[in-house]
């Protein structure tokens, strides 16, 4: 949970930075970046709630624990990402037909780069922690932040091209590309959450480790069959006859 608190703090800081960048530049691309940071904050708060519930020990009504709540967290995050993508598209499409000039190019670039560096650093920390702890919530939040970083890079490229070419429609066009990228991330998170809730079997590599551990018993005449496996966030469950 301490890692998620780090994500919450980063989201608050980057929201302030990116909305400031939007206000001084009037760039719909930077507005799309700022809106995604708002989603980051909401998602981080939901992730904090999920990890708090998942930490509860098993009880009579939940013999296998509360770990699957993490999939609800990543699923909600995926849905929020899709909402942000729609918002960006609705904002960008009118600008295609009525382009608006961009202002304060240099200041907008500096503010966005600072916000991206913060997001990138936090994302790498969360990604390492998520893989080490096998936490789908931490990994989902990390990938979301990394998507935010690449989104900012794309916006800055468009910003630079607008300054060089004077073609104002590049700004809403890159915003639509950003929206498409966000949709991809959201669908990916929803799919991952669905597979977890449907008790998807362990990966083949994990099952090979289990079979190798049981192999010595075969020499004693003990046979195993009817293998069943499933994942619940960072926990793995296996049953057999």
């Amino acid at each position: 949970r301490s890692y998620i608190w780090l994500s919450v703090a980063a989201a608050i800081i980057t929201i302030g930075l990116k909305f400031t960048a939007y206000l001084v530049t009037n760039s719909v691309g930077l507005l799309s970046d700022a809106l995604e940071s708002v989603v980051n904050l909401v998602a981080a708060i939901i992730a904090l709630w999920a990890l708090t519930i998942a930490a509860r020990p098993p009880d009579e009504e939940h013999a296998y624990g509360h770990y699957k709540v993490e999939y609800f967290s990543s699923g909600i995050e995926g849905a929020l990402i899709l909402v942000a993508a729609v918002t960006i598209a609705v904002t960008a499409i009118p600008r295609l037909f009525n382009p608006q000039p961009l202002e304060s190019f240099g200041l907008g670039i500096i503010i966005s780069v600072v916000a991206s560096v913060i997001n990138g650093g936090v994302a790498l920390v969360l990604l390492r922690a998520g893989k080490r702890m096998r936490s789908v919530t931490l990994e989902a939040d990390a990938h979301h932040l990394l998507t935010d970083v690449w989104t900012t890079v794309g916006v800055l490229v468009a910003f630079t091209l607008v300054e060089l070419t004077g073609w104002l429609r590049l700004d809403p066009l890159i915003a639509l590309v950003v929206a498409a990228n966000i949709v991809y991330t959201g669908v990916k998170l929803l799919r991952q959450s669905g597979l977890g809730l449907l008790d998807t079997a362990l990966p083949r590599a994990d099952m090979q480790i289990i079979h190798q551990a049981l192999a010595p018993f075969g020499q004693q005449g003990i046979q195993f069959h009817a293998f069943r496996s499933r994942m619940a966030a960072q926990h793995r469950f296996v049953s057999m006859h």
Side-chain angles (χ1 to χ4, degrees):
R1 282 174 290 179
S2 60
Y3 289 102
I4 290 296
W5 277 114
L6 178 62
S7 180
V8 170
I12 292 173
I13 294 172
T14 54
I15 285 173
L17 289 172
K18 289 182 178 182
F19 268 108
T20 300
Y22 162 66
L23 291 175
V24 300
T25 62
N26 194 33
S27 165
V28 69
L30 290 177
L31 174 60
S32 70
D33 217 8
L35 290 174
E36 190 177 356
S37 293
V38 174
V39 176
N40 288 347
L41 176 60
V42 175
I45 293 173
I46 293 173
L48 182 63
W49 164 79
L51 290 176
T52 301
I53 300 298
R56 294 178 181 176
D59 52 39
E60 291 185 3
E61 294 183 351
H62 306 90
Y64 290 97
H66 303 78
Y67 315 117
K68 277 194 174 184
V69 71
E70 288 199 45
Y71 293 118
F72 287 100
S73 170
S74 59
I76 292 172
E77 182 172 355
L80 289 173
I81 289 174
L82 295 181
V83 171
V86 172
T87 303
I88 292 169
V90 169
T91 306
I93 290 174
R95 291 282 187 103
L96 285 173
F97 304 100
N98 184 26
Q100 299 293 323
L102 305 181
E103 303 169 359
S104 304
F105 169 70
L107 181 58
I109 287 287
I110 294 172
I111 294 174
S112 294
V113 168
V114 171
S116 292
V117 169
I118 293 173
N119 274 340
V122 173
L124 292 177
V125 171
L126 292 180
L127 192 59
R128 291 189 185 124
K131 289 183 176 179
R132 186 177 70 252
M133 301 176 184
R134 289 188 172 184
S135 171
V136 65
T137 299
L138 289 181
E139 288 194 35
D141 207 39
H143 285 298
H144 189 184
L145 288 176
L146 285 175
T147 300
D148 184 71
V149 172
W150 289 115
T151 297
T152 302
V153 171
V155 170
L156 296 181
V157 169
F159 213 121
T160 303
L161 291 176
V162 169
E163 288 294 314
L164 293 175
T165 65
W167 191 29
L168 297 178
R169 284 188 173 86
L170 276 175
D171 183 42
L173 282 174
I174 198 65
L176 291 174
V177 172
V178 167
N181 184 43
I182 293 175
V183 167
Y184 172 77
T185 302
V187 171
K188 186 177 179 181
L189 286 176
L190 287 173
R191 181 178 181 275
Q192 181 183 24
S193 301
L195 291 176
L197 291 173
L198 290 173
D199 286 335
T200 303
L202 295 182
R204 183 174 297 179
D206 286 353
M207 291 305 299
Q208 287 177 345
I209 294 174
I210 294 169
H211 286 298
Q212 290 172 1
L214 296 177
F217 295 98
Q219 300 173 2
Q220 305 173 29
I222 302 174
Q223 302 299 320
F224 298 90
H225 63 96
F227 279 90
R228 301 288 185 272
S229 66
R230 67 183 182 90
M231 296 182 289
Q234 69 267 43
H235 295 269
R236 307 291 189 266
F237 295 93
V238 182
S239 65
M240 68 199 75
H241 292 179

